[in-house]
């Protein structure tokens, strides 16, 4: 069993950091940003849908795009990979889960604390002053809806092109990587910075790096273990091995 090759390193680890990307959610049928540009949305350049400038120019169009994407996400379910990562937290001394995804599927799978580097499609905040909405705005005559606090236009709480990652989330992620002795890179292309730099930081700090991705990435040459398989297939196998006592016949497969 290929998954068994990484089990000894996981068992030795005191602090496991996991970073997930779009590939993790693709197995739940969640399209990537560009894959979602089908039908009506295929006529638009991404910069017309996901930048502060686009929102200033046509807030209604941008809001409608994200409502459509949010509905796609709400129709999806956590897959076996999400569920395995939620269980992994109970099998290691400490786990920090970082994601580039904006779909909330890790939380729905049972992961209690997730560092969201790119925000969440399930939240909305004020474009003018940043007030976070208590709930996603219901259907209202205004498009986009208005902030209950200041009356400003609401926007999805995601990171757009031309915007920086949330400072607190990025700092928390970096601190976790600095303290980790094992780093998982799962379903991410490792090309979008600054998130892509976390895997390299882990490697440079001497952590064991495990990459799970069907395709090679820039991180692959620096990984200690590379599993070219979908996360929904290999992560449950890893969990099954971890459940078995060390030295058992199953754990040696």
């Amino acid at each position: 069993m290929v998954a068994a090759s990484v089990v000894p390193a996981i068992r030795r680890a005191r602090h496991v950091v996991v970073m997930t990307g779009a590939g993790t959610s693709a197995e739940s049928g969640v399209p990537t940003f560009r894959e979602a540009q089908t039908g009506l949305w295929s006529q638009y350049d991404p910069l017309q849908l996901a930048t502060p400038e686009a929102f200033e120019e046509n807030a209604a169009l941008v809001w409608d795009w994200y409502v459509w994407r949010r509905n796609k996400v709400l129709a999806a379910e956590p897959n076996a990979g999400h569920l395995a990562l939620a269980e992994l937290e109970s099998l290691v001394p400490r786990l920090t889960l970082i994601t580039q995804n904006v779909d909330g599927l890790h939380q729905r799978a049972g992961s209690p604390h997730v560092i969201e580097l790119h925000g969440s499609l399930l939240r909305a905040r004020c474009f003018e002053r940043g007030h976070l909405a208590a709930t996603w705005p219901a259907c209202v005559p205004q498009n986009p809806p208005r902030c209950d606090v200041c009356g400003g236009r609401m926007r999805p709480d995601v990171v757009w092109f031309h915007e920086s990652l949330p400072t607190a989330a990025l700092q928390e992620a970096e601190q976790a990587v600095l303290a980790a002795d094992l780093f998982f890179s799962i379903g991410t292309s490792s090309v979008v910075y600054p998130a892509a730099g976390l895997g390299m930081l882990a490697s440079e700090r001497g952590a064991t790096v495990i990459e799970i991705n069907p395709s090679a990435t820039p991180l692959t040459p620096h990984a200690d273990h590379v599993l070219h398989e979908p996360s929904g297939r290999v992560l449950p196998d890893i969990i099954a091995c971890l459940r078995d006592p060390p030295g058992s016949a199953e754990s040696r497969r």
Side-chain angles (χ1 to χ4, degrees):
M1 183 185 291
V2 175
S5 65
V6 303
V7 169
I10 299 172
R11 285 201 169 114
R12 290 192 300 268
R14 306 306 300 169
H15 183 184
V16 175
V17 170
V18 177
M19 187 171 74
T20 65
T24 310
S25 292
E27 295 178 66
S28 289
V30 176
T32 65
F33 182 95
R34 294 184 189 278
E35 288 172 345
Q37 285 188 262
T38 59
L40 169 67
W41 304 108
S42 62
Q43 64 184 298
Y44 296 102
D45 184 279
L47 298 184
Q48 294 176 282
L49 300 171
T51 65
E53 296 81 5
F55 192 81
E56 289 279 19
E57 182 176 339
N58 193 339
L61 174 71
V62 173
W63 181 260
D64 284 346
W65 158 246
Y66 279 94
V67 167
W68 183 84
R69 287 187 65 201
R70 179 176 182 270
N71 288 338
K72 285 281 189 183
V73 163
L74 291 175
E77 295 293 337
N79 62 56
H82 293 112
L83 297 171
L85 288 175
E87 184 174 351
L88 180 61
E89 188 145 5
S90 67
L91 298 173
V92 296
R94 182 182 177 191
L95 184 140
T96 300
L97 178 55
I98 307 165
T99 189
Q100 297 169 273
N101 299 332
V102 296
D103 49 47
L105 288 174
H106 284 301
Q107 292 91 329
R108 288 168 58 190
S111 293
H113 176 65
V114 182
I115 301 174
E116 295 174 319
L117 291 181
H118 293 162
S120 173
L121 277 171
L122 307 184
R123 296 189 302 267
R125 61 182 168 90
C126 176
F127 180 73
E128 271 73 30
R129 299 192 178 182
H131 300 122
L132 192 64
T135 60
W136 184 267
C139 294
V140 293
Q142 305 97 327
N143 186 8
R146 294 287 172 169
C147 175
D148 291 337
V149 179
C150 69
R153 295 166 295 175
M154 298 301 290
R155 57 162 286 180
D157 189 26
V158 299
V159 177
W160 283 334
F161 298 115
H162 306 163
E163 291 184 325
S164 300
L165 269 59
T167 301
L170 183 57
Q171 289 179 345
E172 185 180 2
E174 290 174 340
Q175 289 303 311
V177 172
L178 290 173
D181 49 9
L182 190 145
F183 181 91
F184 272 103
S185 176
I186 303 176
T188 174
S189 63
S190 296
V191 297
V192 179
Y193 281 81
L198 295 175
M200 285 303 303
L201 177 62
S203 177
E204 291 165 0
R205 297 287 295 185
T208 299
V209 175
I210 302 172
E211 183 180 57
I212 300 175
N213 203 318
S215 303
T217 76
L219 182 63
T220 302
H222 306 278
D224 298 284
H225 303 273
V226 178
L227 305 180
H228 285 311
E229 297 186 55
S231 58
R233 181 185 305 160
V234 70
L235 284 172
D237 288 345
I238 291 174
I239 295 301
C241 291
L242 287 171
R243 289 197 203 105
D244 291 314
S248 68
E250 183 66 24
S251 69
R252 292 194 302 269
R253 283 179 59 189

